[in-house]
Amino acid sequence: MDSEKGLFHDLMVVEFASVLAGPSVGQFFAELGAEVIKVESPKTHGDVTRRWKLTSENPSASVSAYFASANWGKKSVALDLSSEEGKQLAYKIIAKADVVLVSFKPGDAEKLQMDYDTLSQLNPRLLYGHITGYGSEVPRAGYDAVLQAEAGFMFLNGEPDGPPVKMPVALIDLLAAHQLKEGLLAGLYRREKTGLGQYIEVSLLASAVASLANQATNYLVTGVAPQRMGSEHPNIVPYGTIYRTSDGKEVVLAIGDDRQFQVLCQILSEPELAQDARFRTNRQRVSNRDALHPKLQELVSRLPQKELLKALVAQHVPAGAVHSVPEALAQPLVQNQLLANGEGKPQGVRQVAFSGPASRHFSISEPPELGQHTWQVLEEKTGVSSAEMQELAQKDLIFPVKSGNL
């Protein structure tokens, strides 16, 4: 491996995906050194997230904060796939590619002639990663908020006496992205053995259900449907429970066994609480959680947050401060996960979170302007002349200006 270029420095990924799930996969490969070419439509002004801006953002900027969450390290090519000329140029690029990422609604890839059957004829080694809402046989677009509702996440999220609540990030999109990364890595391993590419499809629904984890098995084993519990855990107490300290700050406890609970009580200067028949074992604490929480809250409220957390961490009792997003991103251990722009200001977060030689961090480019690399990529990958590109630009089939592309 060329350690200066990344594990996938000789891999080419062509991304036809938009929003979050597919682009997250593209950035993952870019961070590991792959050349990732993001093909965007000039008709629709590119990936829709370019226009999903906060009121505090520059309204004329081509790169929004949302777009920057999943598009570092890529080259943007503005190309009209609905035209024959655009399609043929895309085919020339795909013929040299290793991976294609798409998030077309089922049926749309066939209409555009960008489906796996068509592209695999051009490139038998091609891995075709397709993110759908409900599977390739269901012609229904998938949206994260809808899938959070339909897969049970929204029902489970929220306070017991409150309404269902959506997660504050597009959780199902991110889960599907991880599933597709795994599928493509398995596909690359298979290709090393067989020399053949393959179609890999991941649905938002399947990814969500796979991630219900113990909530799903709790129901399947017992027949009792899980209910909203706020930040409480159905199987462990106190786990996920938030308590307020003497200085008005908040801590969360994640007690996983009886020993940890005993040490917690010692730190709180109430060791006899761990010997109370109602709380001695986790099973008893689960049954008597309503009696335990007020007692713990009273004890926690006697100590300031920093002092309490220092003692808990020193004794290996799982606990942490409840951070705001700025506080979370300011942590020293997080700094290596942040991506900085040309001025050194953090503007993004790495998709690669594992460590080891294969994940060595190196500099990657900022999220691209719409069509920033159109002329460069077409010249390099398709051999089309500048004169021909001028004609395509005049027809609005590619991004219409050359300045800043090279």
Side-chain angles (χ1 to χ4, degrees):
M1 182 185 81
D2 188 331
S3 61
E4 296 303 314
K5 296 181 180 179
L7 176 65
F8 292 135
H9 70 276
D10 56 353
L11 204 74
M12 187 198 301
V13 177
V14 182
E15 179 186 303
F16 296 106
S18 61
V19 190
L20 186 59
S24 293
V25 180
Q27 182 172 319
F28 167 81
F29 280 104
E31 288 180 26
L32 293 176
E35 179 182 22
V36 180
I37 299 170
K38 184 179 182 73
V39 179
E40 304 182 72
S41 171
K43 285 184 176 179
T44 60
H45 308 290
D47 192 317
V48 67
T49 62
R50 290 184 179 275
R51 299 181 292 286
W52 288 2
K53 295 177 182 176
L54 301 169
T55 56
S56 55
E57 291 185 67
N58 181 352
S60 63
S62 177
V63 175
S64 68
Y66 197 110
F67 183 80
S69 72
N71 287 288
W72 284 72
K74 302 177 185 179
K75 297 175 180 177
S76 172
V77 173
L79 184 63
D80 185 358
L81 298 177
S82 66
S83 69
E84 188 59 32
E85 298 100 317
K87 188 177 301 158
Q88 292 303 321
L89 290 172
Y91 285 165
K92 289 182 179 181
I93 298 172
I94 292 166
K96 301 175 182 179
D98 296 281
V99 177
V100 162
L101 302 173
V102 306
S103 57
F104 297 126
K105 185 176 70 175
D108 286 357
E110 287 74 13
K111 292 176 184 176
L112 288 170
Q113 295 179 294
M114 289 290 160
D115 55 290
Y116 175 68
D117 288 343
T118 299
L119 301 187
S120 64
Q121 296 298 313
L122 302 171
N123 183 351
R125 288 176 53 83
L126 185 69
L127 294 173
Y128 187 101
H130 190 182
I131 289 182
T132 67
Y134 302 88
S136 56
E137 301 302 315
V138 180
R140 181 186 176 194
Y143 295 90
D144 179 89
V146 176
L147 267 299
Q148 285 196 36
E150 293 180 337
F153 283 79
M154 196 177 291
F155 178 87
L156 290 173
N157 195 31
E159 294 300 323
D161 56 351
V165 178
K166 183 182 76 66
M167 295 289 291
V169 295
L171 177 66
I172 311 304
D173 275 5
L174 295 172
L175 293 172
H178 284 302
Q179 290 284 350
L180 186 56
K181 291 171 194 173
E182 293 163 7
L184 288 169
L185 293 175
L188 286 170
Y189 182 69
R190 176 179 179 270
R191 192 177 73 175
E192 286 297 306
K193 293 185 173 184
T194 67
L196 298 175
Q198 67 180 99
Y199 175 83
I200 301 167
E201 184 260 311
V202 171
S203 76
L204 298 183
L205 180 60
S207 301
V209 171
S211 303
L212 281 172
N214 61 291
Q215 295 285 14
T217 55
N218 282 348
Y219 167 68
L220 294 173
V221 170
T222 68
V224 178
Q227 302 296 314
R228 280 189 291 285
M229 301 180 66
S231 61
E232 291 283 298
H233 196 292
N235 302 70
I236 319 169
V237 174
Y239 192 102
T241 314
I242 299 168
Y243 301 98
R244 189 171 294 273
T245 57
S246 63
D247 49 357
K249 298 181 180 180
E250 293 171 321
V251 297
V252 63
L253 296 176
I255 305 302
D257 59 37
D258 298 334
R259 183 204 66 81
Q260 292 172 352
F261 183 70
Q262 292 166 10
V263 177
L264 168 67
C265 294
Q266 291 172 3
I267 291 172
L268 294 175
S269 301
E270 195 86 14
E272 59 271 20
L273 186 64
Q275 303 307 316
D276 189 310
R278 297 171 296 171
F279 312 132
R280 190 175 295 123
T281 68
N282 179 66
R283 184 179 181 86
Q284 292 165 333
R285 292 193 295 276
V286 169
S287 298
N288 296 284
R289 67 173 77 223
D290 291 341
L292 176 61
H293 288 324
K295 292 181 179 294
L296 288 178
Q297 176 56 71
E298 195 278 324
L299 295 172
V300 168
S301 68
R302 299 175 184 176
L303 298 170
Q305 184 196 63
K306 188 174 181 179
E307 177 184 325
L308 174 59
L309 288 177
K310 182 179 180 180
L312 292 172
V313 171
Q315 294 297 317
H316 309 291
V317 177
V322 178
H323 284 153
S324 66
V325 172
E327 289 171 333
L329 296 180
Q331 296 177 95
L333 292 175
V334 172
Q335 300 315 297
N336 199 41
Q337 198 70 21
L338 303 183
L339 292 164
N341 64 10
E343 299 175 353
K345 180 182 178 182
Q347 296 275 287
V349 179
R350 292 186 182 277
Q351 301 294 317
V352 175
F354 59 85
S355 61
S359 67
R360 181 183 180 275
H361 287 179
F362 58 95
S363 177
I364 64 173
S365 58
E366 297 174 38
E369 300 286 328
L370 175 60
Q372 181 178 341
H373 306 91
T374 302
W375 292 66
Q376 173 192 344
V377 169
L378 292 182
E379 285 178 344
E380 292 178 354
K381 308 299 183 185
T382 72
V384 66
S385 69
S386 294
E388 290 172 310
M389 282 192 283
Q390 289 285 1
E391 292 181 13
L392 292 168
Q394 289 173 0
K395 296 178 182 178
D396 294 327
L397 300 181
I398 65 173
F399 200 70
V401 293
K402 185 174 182 178
S403 61
N405 288 305
L406 298 178

